[in-house]
Amino acid sequence: MWNLWLPWLLLSAVWMAAASGEDGLRPDFYGSACPNVEAIVRDAVRRKLNQTVVTVPATLRLFFHDCFVQGCDASVMIASARDDAEKDAPDNLSLAGDGFDTVIKAKQAVEAQCPGVVSCADILAIAARDVVVLSGGPKFTVELGRRDGLVSQAALVADHLPGSDFNLDRLVSLFRLNNLTASDMIALSGAHTVGFSHCHRFSSRLYAFNSTTAVDPSLNATYAKALMRACPRNVDPTIAVNMDLYTPVTFDNVYYRNLINGEGLFTSDEVLFTDIRSRPTVEQFAADQAAFFGAFSSAMLRLGRLGVKTGSQGEIRRDCTAFNN
Ligand code: HEM
Ligand SMILES: *[C@@H]1O[C@H](CO)[C@@H](O)[C@H](O)[C@H]1NC(C)=O
Ligand SMILES: *[C@@H]1O[C@H](CO)[C@@H](O)[C@H](O)[C@H]1NC(C)=O
Ligand SMILES: *[C@@H]1O[C@H](CO)[C@@H](O)[C@H](O)[C@H]1NC(C)=O
Ligand SMILES: *[C@@H]1O[C@H](CO)[C@@H](O)[C@H](O)[C@H]1NC(C)=O
Ligand SMILES: CC(=O)N[C@H]1CO[C@H](CO)[C@@H](O)[C@@H]1O
């Protein structure tokens, strides 16, 4: 009996792992409980995008930060009266409010049709995919079935998010801790093809590279001058610049071409080209947008599986910014 059963069990285990995420996530999770959830979220994201283009980068970055801190469980959405939730950590303070607003609006639209069924974590995952598609990026399937987390603490953010001054080794090891490969990291960094950054994130590259050299030699000289004009010393801390100099509101592979030109904004961007270990992947993505889109889609799938709560873990929050109790 065993020799007949065992191969079948192994095969069905392999098949199930392929059909659904390892963590019990699957694309049709709400198939009967809320069959239109993806269309409802997409419409809400579209409406929000029509109000402001910041919807795209803000929502995408919110998803990344949620997943890297305590897993993709919408813990980043929690508002604390004492200002000590995840969203209040210094790293997260600059997360644009439009990302939160996108999820809140989508959740309201979903609740109107399927009350109490769809998690905020899943709505954020769908919305992050939708903003990529709506700005010209790849279409990809989102796995669903996440539950919302019950913990959100600013203190848990420190050390979980990458810094704009990271070198390749620090980037690779932080992403590896999150079950993502070096190529996943290079592909996900391509998210910086949209959005803004505040001057202080990169001003040391313009004014204080090291004790003898002011300007980071890996910066394109023309680009460095333009950045100095936009971000003079002691600039107003609210001033921000586009991260992709040429197509800042389009999700495309221009980010990688910029790196080849010395026009990556952060140390952590430019190092992907200057370090010869990651350079071939940058050159491939710069030359072949379809290769970038494929790598980005599968890396987003793996990002979306981080630390997920499923089954009876966590809860389905009624209001994304507050725990149910
Ligand atoms: C690889 C390491 C990464 C580092 C060091 C990094 C760092 C940063 C920093 C410092 C900013 C500017 C924030 C500000 O000044 O307001 C930023 C913006 C952004 N990041 Fe990253 N990030 C990384 C990876 C990612 C990933 C994986 C994603 C998403 C998949 C992402 C999406 C974004 C987006 C879309 C923005 C623009 C936000 C906006 O305009 O509101 N980043 N990132
Ligand atoms: C929103 O839609 C209206 C009507 O179609 C259009 O005129 C307007 O330019 C759009 N705004 C943005 C920011 O896309
Ligand atoms: C500063 O950086 C420049 C350019 O990479 C290098 O030539 C120089 O040796 C560095 N100086 C110090 C003190 O590290
Ligand atoms: C600097 O950027 C310009 C485009 O602004 C480009 O033509 C030039 O090749 C770049 N220089 C280097 C050294 O990459
Ligand atoms: C990474 O994968 C391992 C093995 O599947 C798992 O135990 C761990 O929880 C994952 N890490 C995260 C952050 O999800
Ligand atoms: C560490 C860090 O980036 N802190 C910033 C968080 O956001 C506020 C407001 O935008 C800045 O003043 C902090 O410097």
Side-chain angles (χ1 to χ4, degrees):
M1 210 45 196
W2 270 107
N3 53 350
L4 284 176
W5 266 104
L6 199 57
W8 188 84
L9 282 174
L10 286 172
L11 271 176
S12 61
V14 167
W15 180 80
M16 283 174 67
S20 61
E22 288 153 36
D23 306 289
L25 301 178
R26 52 193 168 88
D28 66 343
F29 184 81
Y30 298 108
S32 51
C34 192
N36 294 328
V37 62
E38 296 200 42
I40 301 168
V41 172
R42 188 177 58 236
D43 285 351
V45 171
R46 270 214 191 100
R47 274 196 298 277
K48 175 73 191 168
L49 180 57
N50 181 260
Q51 292 166 2
T52 171
V53 73
V54 177
T55 303
V56 171
T59 307
L60 187 52
R61 184 164 186 244
L62 194 59
F63 179 63
F64 170 51
H65 283 211
D66 185 35
C67 293
F68 259 45
V69 183
Q70 293 268 102
C72 315
D73 64 353
S75 47
V76 73
M77 296 287 303
I78 295 293
S80 156
R82 292 192 310 275
D83 283 347
D84 60 357
E86 253 177 58
K87 77 190 280 276
D88 302 310
D91 264 328
N92 275 2
L93 273 178
S94 61
L95 286 172
D98 290 305
F100 294 94
D101 195 45
T102 303
V103 177
I104 290 165
K105 293 228 164 77
K107 172 71 169 177
Q108 282 163 356
V110 170
E111 287 296 294
Q113 292 195 33
C114 322
V117 172
V118 183
S119 67
C120 299
D122 280 344
I123 289 173
L124 176 53
I126 298 170
R129 184 271 314 275
D130 291 347
V131 294
V132 169
V133 175
L134 291 170
S135 56
K139 298 182 173 65
F140 53 94
T141 302
V142 175
E143 293 175 337
L144 301 171
R146 297 171 192 80
R147 310 259 305 170
D148 296 324
L150 299 172
V151 176
S152 176
Q153 285 169 23
L156 296 172
V157 175
D159 304 333
H160 284 81
L161 292 170
S164 56
D165 60 342
F166 272 24
N167 63 21
L168 190 69
D169 288 321
R170 291 184 77 185
L171 289 169
V172 168
S173 63
L174 180 61
F175 277 69
R176 185 163 294 151
L177 274 178
N178 288 289
N179 293 338
L180 296 163
T181 65
S183 9
D184 290 333
M185 182 274 292
I186 299 167
L188 288 169
S189 295
H192 291 172
T193 182
V194 290
F196 310 91
S197 167
H198 295 87
C199 296
H200 74 93
R201 305 290 194 165
F202 54 86
S203 53
S204 65
R205 298 187 72 201
L206 305 175
Y207 303 112
F209 177 65
N210 68 19
S211 60
T212 54
T213 306
V215 185
D216 184 335
S218 70
L219 263 177
N220 182 304
T222 313
Y223 184 46
K225 285 199 192 93
L227 288 176
M228 286 170 173
R229 279 194 299 275
C231 298
R233 282 176 200 270
N234 305 319
V235 67
D236 175 341
T238 63
I239 300 293
V241 302
N242 288 327
M243 293 200 292
D244 174 349
L245 191 53
Y246 301 104
T247 57
V249 298
T250 307
F251 196 99
D252 55 20
N253 67 340
V254 170
Y255 167 82
Y256 299 99
R257 294 199 236 148
N258 294 344
L259 300 185
I260 294 173
N261 269 339
E263 294 168 332
L265 188 55
F266 301 146
T267 301
S268 63
D269 296 316
E270 195 55 50
V271 75
L272 303 178
F273 178 72
T274 54
D275 194 305
I276 55 162
R277 293 170 296 174
S278 43
R279 182 179 296 177
T281 308
V282 167
E283 286 173 333
Q284 186 203 7
F285 292 166
D288 181 354
Q289 180 160 278
F292 164 49
F293 279 8
F296 184 82
S297 301
S298 58
M300 283 289 278
L301 188 79
R302 280 192 283 280
L303 177 63
R305 289 175 181 166
L306 288 179
V308 293
K309 285 92 192 161
T310 55
S312 58
Q313 298 171 301
E315 63 182 4
I316 303 296
R317 250 177 250 155
R318 282 185 294 273
D319 168 354
C320 293
T321 67
F323 301 122
N324 286 346
N325 292 307

